[in-house]
C-alpha cells in the first residue's frame, strides 16, 4: 500500500529535522515544500508531503507515524 503524510511545523530547524527523520525511515518527498504565514501566531509555517510504499492493506486505523 502507499501511505501519505503531510508534515508541518514552524519555519525552524525542527521542521527540517522532522522531514529528515521521515526520509531516514524510508519516506520520499512528494512535491515541493509549502510556506504560509500564520497570522494568529505571527510565524511562518512550513509543510512537506511525503509518501511511502509498505506491505499491508490500508485501514483508517493505520498509524502512519509507525511506518
Amino acid at each position: 500500500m502507499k501511505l501519505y503524510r503531510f508534515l508541518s511545523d514552524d519555519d525552524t530547524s525542527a521542521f527540517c529535522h522532522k522531514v529528515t527523520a521521515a526520509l531516514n525511515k524510508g519516506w520520499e518527498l512528494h512535491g515541493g515544500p509549502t510556506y504560509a504565514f500564520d497570522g494568529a501566531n505571527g510565524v511562518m509555517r512550513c509543510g512537506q508531503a511525503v509518501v511511502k510504499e509498505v506491505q499491508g492493506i490500508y485501514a483508517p486505523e493505520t498509524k502512519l507515524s509507525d511506518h
Side-chain angles (χ1 to χ4, degrees):
M1 76 177 139
K2 183 174 263 189
L3 302 177
Y4 170 91
R5 291 178 68 193
F6 185 76
L7 307 173
S8 64
D9 209 333
D10 290 349
D11 186 11
T12 66
S13 63
F15 172 74
C16 295
H17 286 285
K18 186 182 286 190
V19 174
T20 299
L23 293 173
N24 281 283
K25 290 181 180 179
W27 292 84
E28 297 181 15
L29 299 177
H30 183 74
T34 61
Y35 299 92
F37 182 70
D38 177 352
N41 295 304
V43 297
M44 290 298 291
R45 303 251 324 146
C46 302
Q48 175 65 57
V50 292
V51 294
K52 184 178 186 180
E53 287 280 346
V54 298
Q55 295 291 324
I57 298 171
Y58 172 76
E61 299 80 30
T62 302
K63 186 158 178 152
L64 300 175
S65 60
D66 285 347
H67 291 280

